[in-house]
Amino acid sequence: MGLGDKHQASLITRGLAETARLGVALGADPYTFSGLAGLGDLVATCGLAAVRNHRFGNLLGTGRTVAEAQAQVRQDHRGREVLLVPC
């Protein structure tokens, strides 16, 4: 996304806080988000360009449609279904 390291860290931190808040509201154990399933997955997804979810999200963030991003990533990726759920 072209952000510097500090901006990326801020965005990841905010993402973790919001994900944890949503998870707890839906009944999850708050400690889940500080382990591999939470922080570990978030760091991998946000920080490693080779991760399919990172590539998929990056394509969406640069204006591609869901269909275009799916065609380019060509792997199963979590999150597509979330995009299709009305908030």
Side-chain angles (χ1 to χ4, degrees):
M1 289 179 57
L3 300 175
D5 292 340
K6 290 182 181 180
H7 289 101
Q8 281 182 323
S10 295
L11 189 58
I12 291 169
T13 303
R14 175 58 31 212
L16 179 61
E18 291 182 16
T19 301
R21 228 182 340 266
L22 174 63
V24 169
L26 294 172
D29 182 334
Y31 290 108
T32 300
F33 300 95
S34 60
L36 291 175
L39 182 59
D41 189 53
L42 184 64
V43 169
T45 299
C46 294
L48 304 174
V51 174
R52 65 184 182 271
N53 293 332
H54 176 93
R55 292 194 319 268
F56 184 71
N58 226 13
L59 290 167
L60 294 177
T62 57
R64 304 294 196 303
T65 67
V66 171
E68 290 169 336
Q70 281 182 288
Q72 194 161 342
V73 172
R74 284 182 259 168
Q75 287 180 306
D76 181 42
H77 42 78
R78 291 169 281 148
R80 182 185 69 84
E81 291 79 14
V82 175
L83 295 171
L84 305 176
V85 175
C87 295

